[in-house]
Amino acid sequence: MTVLCVGLLLAALRNDEAVTSHLGVANAQVDSVSWDRTIIRFVTPDGIVHIPANGVLYPGGLVAGDLVRIEYDTTNPDLARVAGRDATLTLLPLSTTVLITWAVAAGLLWWIRHRTRRVAPEAEPAPALTAGR
């Protein structure tokens, strides 16, 4: 889980770098908001309407119908983020996920070790030697 969270942070930083290096700005309309993505619609200066299939980055607090300023990668307009937001917004949820995962894993490990020590296998008595008949 830690590796996954670090990978997500690195991906967010890479996306931010791509947007920043080829920065375009536009006003976008929020078309829909679901648990996994926020779909927006915006027009680039060349008149093309873009609707990024993966939604917008850092959509917290947006609702359908909102007009929002976005920043996008001019070489790949499907990569867009809400203006003024960046990868630092991922630090809190990712670090919380890592912390909770390790806390649960440590508690589970302690419980398993404590339980196995408490229920130690009983030693079987050695067979009694009998005198020859």
mmCIF file of all heavy atoms in Angstrom, residues 62-108:
data_model
loop_
_atom_site.group_PDB
_atom_site.id
_atom_site.type_symbol
_atom_site.label_atom_id
_atom_site.label_comp_id
_atom_site.label_asym_id
_atom_site.label_seq_id
_atom_site.Cartn_x
_atom_site.Cartn_y
_atom_site.Cartn_z
ATOM 1 N N LEU A 62 -16.346 20.672 -6.193
ATOM 2 C CA LEU A 62 -17.080 21.050 -7.395
ATOM 3 C C LEU A 62 -18.421 20.329 -7.450
ATOM 4 O O LEU A 62 -18.546 19.204 -6.982
ATOM 5 C CB LEU A 62 -16.276 20.711 -8.653
ATOM 6 C CG LEU A 62 -14.922 21.391 -8.811
ATOM 7 C CD1 LEU A 62 -14.250 20.934 -10.093
ATOM 8 C CD2 LEU A 62 -15.057 22.900 -8.778
ATOM 9 N N VAL A 63 -19.407 20.987 -8.027
ATOM 10 C CA VAL A 63 -20.722 20.373 -8.230
ATOM 11 C C VAL A 63 -21.137 20.604 -9.679
ATOM 12 O O VAL A 63 -20.686 21.550 -10.333
ATOM 13 C CB VAL A 63 -21.798 20.927 -7.262
ATOM 14 C CG1 VAL A 63 -21.485 20.570 -5.823
ATOM 15 C CG2 VAL A 63 -21.942 22.422 -7.414
ATOM 16 N N ALA A 64 -21.994 19.735 -10.173
ATOM 17 C CA ALA A 64 -22.460 19.846 -11.549
ATOM 18 C C ALA A 64 -23.073 21.227 -11.787
ATOM 19 O O ALA A 64 -23.833 21.736 -10.958
ATOM 20 C CB ALA A 64 -23.473 18.750 -11.858
ATOM 21 N N GLY A 65 -22.714 21.837 -12.910
ATOM 22 C CA GLY A 65 -23.213 23.158 -13.250
ATOM 23 C C GLY A 65 -22.254 24.288 -12.918
ATOM 24 O O GLY A 65 -22.429 25.409 -13.405
ATOM 25 N N ASP A 66 -21.250 24.014 -12.092
ATOM 26 C CA ASP A 66 -20.264 25.051 -11.743
ATOM 27 C C ASP A 66 -19.471 25.479 -12.966
ATOM 28 O O ASP A 66 -19.213 24.688 -13.869
ATOM 29 C CB ASP A 66 -19.263 24.526 -10.705
ATOM 30 C CG ASP A 66 -19.792 24.542 -9.290
ATOM 31 O OD1 ASP A 66 -20.888 25.083 -9.067
ATOM 32 O OD2 ASP A 66 -19.095 24.010 -8.404
ATOM 33 N N LEU A 67 -19.072 26.730 -12.979
ATOM 34 C CA LEU A 67 -18.087 27.216 -13.935
ATOM 35 C C LEU A 67 -16.794 27.379 -13.153
ATOM 36 O O LEU A 67 -16.780 27.979 -12.077
ATOM 37 C CB LEU A 67 -18.508 28.547 -14.543
ATOM 38 C CG LEU A 67 -19.678 28.491 -15.512
ATOM 39 C CD1 LEU A 67 -20.054 29.895 -15.973
ATOM 40 C CD2 LEU A 67 -19.343 27.613 -16.709
ATOM 41 N N VAL A 68 -15.725 26.840 -13.683
ATOM 42 C CA VAL A 68 -14.463 26.830 -12.952
ATOM 43 C C VAL A 68 -13.317 27.139 -13.908
ATOM 44 O O VAL A 68 -13.363 26.793 -15.091
ATOM 45 C CB VAL A 68 -14.253 25.464 -12.245
ATOM 46 C CG1 VAL A 68 -14.144 24.335 -13.227
ATOM 47 C CG2 VAL A 68 -13.064 25.502 -11.320
ATOM 48 N N ARG A 69 -12.313 27.834 -13.397
ATOM 49 C CA ARG A 69 -11.110 28.126 -14.180
ATOM 50 C C ARG A 69 -10.207 26.900 -14.105
ATOM 51 O O ARG A 69 -9.970 26.357 -13.019
ATOM 52 C CB ARG A 69 -10.415 29.346 -13.593
ATOM 53 C CG ARG A 69 -9.287 29.863 -14.403
ATOM 54 C CD ARG A 69 -9.830 30.796 -15.421
ATOM 55 N NE ARG A 69 -8.734 31.525 -16.060
ATOM 56 C CZ ARG A 69 -8.815 31.955 -17.287
ATOM 57 N NH1 ARG A 69 -9.918 31.762 -17.979
ATOM 58 N NH2 ARG A 69 -7.819 32.599 -17.829
ATOM 59 N N ILE A 70 -9.722 26.447 -15.243
ATOM 60 C CA ILE A 70 -8.847 25.279 -15.265
ATOM 61 C C ILE A 70 -7.534 25.615 -15.954
ATOM 62 O O ILE A 70 -7.426 26.602 -16.687
ATOM 63 C CB ILE A 70 -9.494 24.079 -15.988
ATOM 64 C CG1 ILE A 70 -9.801 24.416 -17.433
ATOM 65 C CG2 ILE A 70 -10.712 23.585 -15.257
ATOM 66 C CD1 ILE A 70 -9.814 23.222 -18.347
ATOM 67 N N GLU A 71 -6.553 24.778 -15.681
ATOM 68 C CA GLU A 71 -5.271 24.816 -16.376
ATOM 69 C C GLU A 71 -5.128 23.465 -17.062
ATOM 70 O O GLU A 71 -5.464 22.442 -16.476
ATOM 71 C CB GLU A 71 -4.134 25.034 -15.381
ATOM 72 C CG GLU A 71 -4.269 26.319 -14.607
ATOM 73 C CD GLU A 71 -3.325 26.436 -13.426
ATOM 74 O OE1 GLU A 71 -2.833 25.392 -12.932
ATOM 75 O OE2 GLU A 71 -3.112 27.576 -12.988
ATOM 76 N N TYR A 72 -4.651 23.471 -18.290
ATOM 77 C CA TYR A 72 -4.526 22.211 -19.019
ATOM 78 C C TYR A 72 -3.213 22.179 -19.786
ATOM 79 O O TYR A 72 -2.564 23.201 -20.009
ATOM 80 C CB TYR A 72 -5.712 21.999 -19.962
ATOM 81 C CG TYR A 72 -5.827 23.015 -21.067
ATOM 82 C CD1 TYR A 72 -5.260 22.784 -22.315
ATOM 83 C CD2 TYR A 72 -6.493 24.226 -20.868
ATOM 84 C CE1 TYR A 72 -5.353 23.722 -23.330
ATOM 85 C CE2 TYR A 72 -6.586 25.155 -21.872
ATOM 86 C CZ TYR A 72 -6.014 24.905 -23.105
ATOM 87 O OH TYR A 72 -6.103 25.837 -24.105
ATOM 88 N N ASP A 73 -2.820 20.982 -20.189
ATOM 89 C CA ASP A 73 -1.628 20.765 -20.981
ATOM 90 C C ASP A 73 -1.988 21.036 -22.442
ATOM 91 O O ASP A 73 -2.837 20.342 -23.003
ATOM 92 C CB ASP A 73 -1.162 19.320 -20.795
ATOM 93 C CG ASP A 73 0.102 18.977 -21.572
ATOM 94 O OD1 ASP A 73 0.565 19.806 -22.377
ATOM 95 O OD2 ASP A 73 0.617 17.865 -21.370
ATOM 96 N N THR A 74 -1.376 22.046 -23.056
ATOM 97 C CA THR A 74 -1.734 22.408 -24.430
ATOM 98 C C THR A 74 -1.380 21.304 -25.427
ATOM 99 O O THR A 74 -1.973 21.242 -26.502
ATOM 100 C CB THR A 74 -1.051 23.718 -24.856
ATOM 101 O OG1 THR A 74 0.372 23.586 -24.686
ATOM 102 C CG2 THR A 74 -1.582 24.881 -24.033
ATOM 103 N N THR A 75 -0.437 20.431 -25.089
ATOM 104 C CA THR A 75 -0.103 19.313 -25.981
ATOM 105 C C THR A 75 -1.018 18.123 -25.771
ATOM 106 O O THR A 75 -1.067 17.218 -26.599
ATOM 107 C CB THR A 75 1.361 18.867 -25.789
ATOM 108 O OG1 THR A 75 1.537 18.395 -24.449
ATOM 109 C CG2 THR A 75 2.318 20.008 -26.076
ATOM 110 N N ASN A 76 -1.738 18.111 -24.645
ATOM 111 C CA ASN A 76 -2.679 17.040 -24.324
ATOM 112 C C ASN A 76 -3.820 17.634 -23.502
ATOM 113 O O ASN A 76 -3.825 17.528 -22.274
ATOM 114 C CB ASN A 76 -1.975 15.921 -23.547
ATOM 115 C CG ASN A 76 -2.914 14.816 -23.126
ATOM 116 O OD1 ASN A 76 -4.027 14.694 -23.629
ATOM 117 N ND2 ASN A 76 -2.472 13.998 -22.183
ATOM 118 N N PRO A 77 -4.811 18.254 -24.137
ATOM 119 C CA PRO A 77 -5.883 18.931 -23.403
ATOM 120 C C PRO A 77 -6.722 18.012 -22.505
ATOM 121 O O PRO A 77 -7.469 18.503 -21.673
ATOM 122 C CB PRO A 77 -6.744 19.544 -24.512
ATOM 123 C CG PRO A 77 -5.838 19.665 -25.673
ATOM 124 C CD PRO A 77 -4.902 18.498 -25.571
ATOM 125 N N ASP A 78 -6.586 16.695 -22.668
ATOM 126 C CA ASP A 78 -7.297 15.785 -21.762
ATOM 127 C C ASP A 78 -6.694 15.779 -20.361
ATOM 128 O O ASP A 78 -7.277 15.225 -19.435
ATOM 129 C CB ASP A 78 -7.301 14.363 -22.321
ATOM 130 C CG ASP A 78 -8.301 14.201 -23.447
ATOM 131 O OD1 ASP A 78 -9.182 15.073 -23.590
ATOM 132 O OD2 ASP A 78 -8.207 13.202 -24.176
ATOM 133 N N LEU A 79 -5.536 16.389 -20.193
ATOM 134 C CA LEU A 79 -4.896 16.498 -18.887
ATOM 135 C C LEU A 79 -5.161 17.902 -18.355
ATOM 136 O O LEU A 79 -4.537 18.876 -18.777
ATOM 137 C CB LEU A 79 -3.399 16.234 -19.004
ATOM 138 C CG LEU A 79 -2.603 16.208 -17.707
ATOM 139 C CD1 LEU A 79 -3.162 15.168 -16.741
ATOM 140 C CD2 LEU A 79 -1.144 15.932 -18.006
ATOM 141 N N ALA A 80 -6.129 18.009 -17.460
ATOM 142 C CA ALA A 80 -6.547 19.314 -16.939
ATOM 143 C C ALA A 80 -6.688 19.268 -15.434
ATOM 144 O O ALA A 80 -7.019 18.230 -14.861
ATOM 145 C CB ALA A 80 -7.875 19.722 -17.573
ATOM 146 N N ARG A 81 -6.431 20.381 -14.786
ATOM 147 C CA ARG A 81 -6.591 20.507 -13.338
ATOM 148 C C ARG A 81 -7.303 21.810 -13.029
ATOM 149 O O ARG A 81 -7.268 22.754 -13.825
ATOM 150 C CB ARG A 81 -5.241 20.463 -12.634
ATOM 151 C CG ARG A 81 -4.376 21.675 -12.927
ATOM 152 C CD ARG A 81 -3.031 21.614 -12.237
ATOM 153 N NE ARG A 81 -2.249 22.790 -12.598
ATOM 154 C CZ ARG A 81 -0.951 22.846 -12.540
ATOM 155 N NH1 ARG A 81 -0.247 21.815 -12.129
ATOM 156 N NH2 ARG A 81 -0.319 23.958 -12.871
ATOM 157 N N VAL A 82 -7.927 21.849 -11.872
ATOM 158 C CA VAL A 82 -8.561 23.090 -11.424
ATOM 159 C C VAL A 82 -7.441 24.089 -11.151
ATOM 160 O O VAL A 82 -6.431 23.755 -10.515
ATOM 161 C CB VAL A 82 -9.405 22.838 -10.155
ATOM 162 C CG1 VAL A 82 -9.968 24.141 -9.619
ATOM 163 C CG2 VAL A 82 -10.523 21.842 -10.436
ATOM 164 N N ALA A 83 -7.587 25.298 -11.662
ATOM 165 C CA ALA A 83 -6.553 26.324 -11.518
ATOM 166 C C ALA A 83 -6.253 26.589 -10.050
ATOM 167 O O ALA A 83 -7.151 26.651 -9.210
ATOM 168 C CB ALA A 83 -6.994 27.614 -12.208
ATOM 169 N N GLY A 84 -4.965 26.706 -9.762
ATOM 170 C CA GLY A 84 -4.538 27.003 -8.400
ATOM 171 C C GLY A 84 -4.383 25.780 -7.517
ATOM 172 O O GLY A 84 -3.957 25.898 -6.369
ATOM 173 N N ARG A 85 -4.704 24.607 -8.016
ATOM 174 C CA ARG A 85 -4.573 23.377 -7.231
ATOM 175 C C ARG A 85 -3.444 22.543 -7.824
ATOM 176 O O ARG A 85 -3.205 22.568 -9.019
ATOM 177 C CB ARG A 85 -5.878 22.582 -7.239
ATOM 178 C CG ARG A 85 -7.034 23.360 -6.621
ATOM 179 C CD ARG A 85 -8.301 22.545 -6.618
ATOM 180 N NE ARG A 85 -9.431 23.337 -6.129
ATOM 181 C CZ ARG A 85 -10.661 22.874 -6.032
ATOM 182 N NH1 ARG A 85 -10.940 21.619 -6.379
ATOM 183 N NH2 ARG A 85 -11.630 23.650 -5.581
ATOM 184 N N ASP A 86 -2.761 21.804 -6.941
ATOM 185 C CA ASP A 86 -1.665 20.977 -7.429
ATOM 186 C C ASP A 86 -1.512 19.719 -6.582
ATOM 187 O O ASP A 86 -2.364 19.413 -5.750
ATOM 188 C CB ASP A 86 -0.355 21.768 -7.489
ATOM 189 C CG ASP A 86 0.080 22.291 -6.126
ATOM 190 O OD1 ASP A 86 -0.431 21.821 -5.101
ATOM 191 O OD2 ASP A 86 0.957 23.176 -6.092
ATOM 192 N N ALA A 87 -0.414 19.012 -6.789
ATOM 193 C CA ALA A 87 -0.195 17.710 -6.156
ATOM 194 C C ALA A 87 -0.114 17.774 -4.633
ATOM 195 O O ALA A 87 -0.278 16.747 -3.964
ATOM 196 C CB ALA A 87 1.061 17.060 -6.715
ATOM 197 N N THR A 88 0.108 18.952 -4.067
ATOM 198 C CA THR A 88 0.167 19.032 -2.609
ATOM 199 C C THR A 88 -1.170 18.626 -1.980
ATOM 200 O O THR A 88 -1.208 18.204 -0.830
ATOM 201 C CB THR A 88 0.556 20.443 -2.128
ATOM 202 O OG1 THR A 88 -0.374 21.388 -2.641
ATOM 203 C CG2 THR A 88 1.964 20.798 -2.576
ATOM 204 N N LEU A 89 -2.246 18.722 -2.746
ATOM 205 C CA LEU A 89 -3.559 18.304 -2.228
ATOM 206 C C LEU A 89 -3.651 16.786 -2.040
ATOM 207 O O LEU A 89 -4.535 16.302 -1.346
ATOM 208 C CB LEU A 89 -4.676 18.763 -3.164
ATOM 209 C CG LEU A 89 -4.877 20.273 -3.244
ATOM 210 C CD1 LEU A 89 -5.905 20.618 -4.314
ATOM 211 C CD2 LEU A 89 -5.315 20.811 -1.895
ATOM 212 N N THR A 90 -2.741 16.044 -2.659
ATOM 213 C CA THR A 90 -2.756 14.582 -2.503
ATOM 214 C C THR A 90 -1.999 14.128 -1.263
ATOM 215 O O THR A 90 -2.139 12.987 -0.850
ATOM 216 C CB THR A 90 -2.145 13.890 -3.736
ATOM 217 O OG1 THR A 90 -0.774 14.249 -3.848
ATOM 218 C CG2 THR A 90 -2.891 14.243 -4.999
ATOM 219 N N LEU A 91 -1.193 15.004 -0.679
ATOM 220 C CA LEU A 91 -0.368 14.603 0.459
ATOM 221 C C LEU A 91 -1.187 14.142 1.662
ATOM 222 O O LEU A 91 -0.868 13.116 2.266
ATOM 223 C CB LEU A 91 0.566 15.742 0.867
ATOM 224 C CG LEU A 91 1.664 16.080 -0.128
ATOM 225 C CD1 LEU A 91 2.452 17.300 0.339
ATOM 226 C CD2 LEU A 91 2.571 14.895 -0.347
ATOM 227 N N LEU A 92 -2.221 14.864 2.028
ATOM 228 C CA LEU A 92 -3.010 14.494 3.197
ATOM 229 C C LEU A 92 -3.724 13.149 3.013
ATOM 230 O O LEU A 92 -3.575 12.259 3.855
ATOM 231 C CB LEU A 92 -4.001 15.593 3.567
ATOM 232 C CG LEU A 92 -4.852 15.313 4.813
ATOM 233 C CD1 LEU A 92 -3.965 15.149 6.043
ATOM 234 C CD2 LEU A 92 -5.858 16.423 5.021
ATOM 235 N N PRO A 93 -4.478 12.940 1.934
ATOM 236 C CA PRO A 93 -5.146 11.635 1.812
ATOM 237 C C PRO A 93 -4.172 10.472 1.653
ATOM 238 O O PRO A 93 -4.401 9.389 2.218
ATOM 239 C CB PRO A 93 -6.042 11.780 0.585
ATOM 240 C CG PRO A 93 -5.658 13.028 -0.086
ATOM 241 C CD PRO A 93 -4.893 13.857 0.884
ATOM 242 N N LEU A 94 -3.083 10.673 0.934
ATOM 243 C CA LEU A 94 -2.133 9.575 0.759
ATOM 244 C C LEU A 94 -1.396 9.256 2.053
ATOM 245 O O LEU A 94 -1.232 8.088 2.404
ATOM 246 C CB LEU A 94 -1.129 9.905 -0.353
ATOM 247 C CG LEU A 94 -1.697 9.940 -1.766
ATOM 248 C CD1 LEU A 94 -0.624 10.340 -2.763
ATOM 249 C CD2 LEU A 94 -2.318 8.616 -2.149
ATOM 250 N N SER A 95 -0.956 10.280 2.777
ATOM 251 C CA SER A 95 -0.252 10.015 4.041
ATOM 252 C C SER A 95 -1.196 9.413 5.076
ATOM 253 O O SER A 95 -0.795 8.542 5.851
ATOM 254 C CB SER A 95 0.399 11.289 4.572
ATOM 255 O OG SER A 95 -0.575 12.278 4.837
ATOM 256 N N THR A 96 -2.439 9.830 5.077
ATOM 257 C CA THR A 96 -3.420 9.240 5.990
ATOM 258 C C THR A 96 -3.648 7.771 5.649
ATOM 259 O O THR A 96 -3.725 6.922 6.541
ATOM 260 C CB THR A 96 -4.750 10.016 5.922
ATOM 261 O OG1 THR A 96 -4.498 11.387 6.245
ATOM 262 C CG2 THR A 96 -5.776 9.450 6.882
ATOM 263 N N THR A 97 -3.732 7.461 4.372
ATOM 264 C CA THR A 97 -3.912 6.069 3.941
ATOM 265 C C THR A 97 -2.736 5.213 4.388
ATOM 266 O O THR A 97 -2.923 4.115 4.910
ATOM 267 C CB THR A 97 -4.079 6.003 2.409
ATOM 268 O OG1 THR A 97 -5.225 6.762 2.043
ATOM 269 C CG2 THR A 97 -4.221 4.576 1.930
ATOM 270 N N VAL A 98 -1.524 5.707 4.191
ATOM 271 C CA VAL A 98 -0.333 4.957 4.601
ATOM 272 C C VAL A 98 -0.317 4.784 6.116
ATOM 273 O O VAL A 98 -0.063 3.681 6.626
ATOM 274 C CB VAL A 98 0.953 5.664 4.115
ATOM 275 C CG1 VAL A 98 2.193 5.066 4.757
ATOM 276 C CG2 VAL A 98 1.055 5.589 2.602
ATOM 277 N N LEU A 99 -0.605 5.838 6.853
ATOM 278 C CA LEU A 99 -0.604 5.775 8.316
ATOM 279 C C LEU A 99 -1.628 4.764 8.833
ATOM 280 O O LEU A 99 -1.317 3.926 9.688
ATOM 281 C CB LEU A 99 -0.872 7.154 8.906
ATOM 282 C CG LEU A 99 -0.885 7.248 10.427
ATOM 283 C CD1 LEU A 99 0.506 6.977 10.973
ATOM 284 C CD2 LEU A 99 -1.368 8.611 10.869
ATOM 285 N N ILE A 100 -2.838 4.818 8.324
ATOM 286 C CA ILE A 100 -3.886 3.891 8.767
ATOM 287 C C ILE A 100 -3.527 2.459 8.384
ATOM 288 O O ILE A 100 -3.712 1.523 9.173
ATOM 289 C CB ILE A 100 -5.257 4.309 8.195
ATOM 290 C CG1 ILE A 100 -5.717 5.589 8.870
ATOM 291 C CG2 ILE A 100 -6.286 3.200 8.371
ATOM 292 C CD1 ILE A 100 -6.953 6.219 8.260
ATOM 293 N N THR A 101 -2.991 2.260 7.186
ATOM 294 C CA THR A 101 -2.597 0.920 6.758
ATOM 295 C C THR A 101 -1.549 0.330 7.686
ATOM 296 O O THR A 101 -1.672 -0.818 8.125
ATOM 297 C CB THR A 101 -2.053 0.959 5.309
ATOM 298 O OG1 THR A 101 -3.082 1.438 4.448
ATOM 299 C CG2 THR A 101 -1.593 -0.412 4.855
ATOM 300 N N TRP A 102 -0.522 1.106 8.000
ATOM 301 C CA TRP A 102 0.526 0.608 8.886
ATOM 302 C C TRP A 102 0.016 0.421 10.315
ATOM 303 O O TRP A 102 0.435 -0.516 11.003
ATOM 304 C CB TRP A 102 1.743 1.523 8.850
ATOM 305 C CG TRP A 102 2.587 1.246 7.652
ATOM 306 C CD1 TRP A 102 2.673 2.000 6.526
ATOM 307 C CD2 TRP A 102 3.415 0.107 7.433
ATOM 308 N NE1 TRP A 102 3.513 1.402 5.620
ATOM 309 C CE2 TRP A 102 3.986 0.243 6.155
ATOM 310 C CE3 TRP A 102 3.736 -1.007 8.194
ATOM 311 C CZ2 TRP A 102 4.872 -0.698 5.620
ATOM 312 C CZ3 TRP A 102 4.615 -1.944 7.663
ATOM 313 C CH2 TRP A 102 5.166 -1.793 6.397
ATOM 314 N N ALA A 103 -0.882 1.278 10.770
ATOM 315 C CA ALA A 103 -1.446 1.116 12.113
ATOM 316 C C ALA A 103 -2.261 -0.172 12.207
ATOM 317 O O ALA A 103 -2.141 -0.930 13.181
ATOM 318 C CB ALA A 103 -2.307 2.322 12.476
ATOM 319 N N VAL A 104 -3.077 -0.435 11.196
ATOM 320 C CA VAL A 104 -3.872 -1.671 11.181
ATOM 321 C C VAL A 104 -2.953 -2.880 11.077
ATOM 322 O O VAL A 104 -3.134 -3.879 11.779
ATOM 323 C CB VAL A 104 -4.903 -1.647 10.030
ATOM 324 C CG1 VAL A 104 -5.534 -3.005 9.813
ATOM 325 C CG2 VAL A 104 -5.970 -0.599 10.317
ATOM 326 N N ALA A 105 -1.938 -2.807 10.218
ATOM 327 C CA ALA A 105 -1.011 -3.932 10.053
ATOM 328 C C ALA A 105 -0.243 -4.196 11.341
ATOM 329 O O ALA A 105 -0.073 -5.357 11.746
ATOM 330 C CB ALA A 105 -0.047 -3.651 8.908
ATOM 331 N N ALA A 106 0.214 -3.138 12.016
ATOM 332 C CA ALA A 106 0.947 -3.311 13.276
ATOM 333 C C ALA A 106 0.042 -3.897 14.354
ATOM 334 O O ALA A 106 0.449 -4.796 15.101
ATOM 335 C CB ALA A 106 1.526 -1.972 13.730
ATOM 336 N N GLY A 107 -1.189 -3.404 14.436
ATOM 337 C CA GLY A 107 -2.131 -3.949 15.421
ATOM 338 C C GLY A 107 -2.453 -5.404 15.145
ATOM 339 O O GLY A 107 -2.514 -6.231 16.069
ATOM 340 N N LEU A 108 -2.647 -5.747 13.898
ATOM 341 C CA LEU A 108 -2.935 -7.124 13.523
ATOM 342 C C LEU A 108 -1.740 -8.029 13.815
ATOM 343 O O LEU A 108 -1.909 -9.137 14.346
ATOM 344 C CB LEU A 108 -3.309 -7.187 12.041
ATOM 345 C CG LEU A 108 -3.903 -8.473 11.523
ATOM 346 C CD1 LEU A 108 -5.178 -8.823 12.289
ATOM 347 C CD2 LEU A 108 -4.214 -8.337 10.040
#
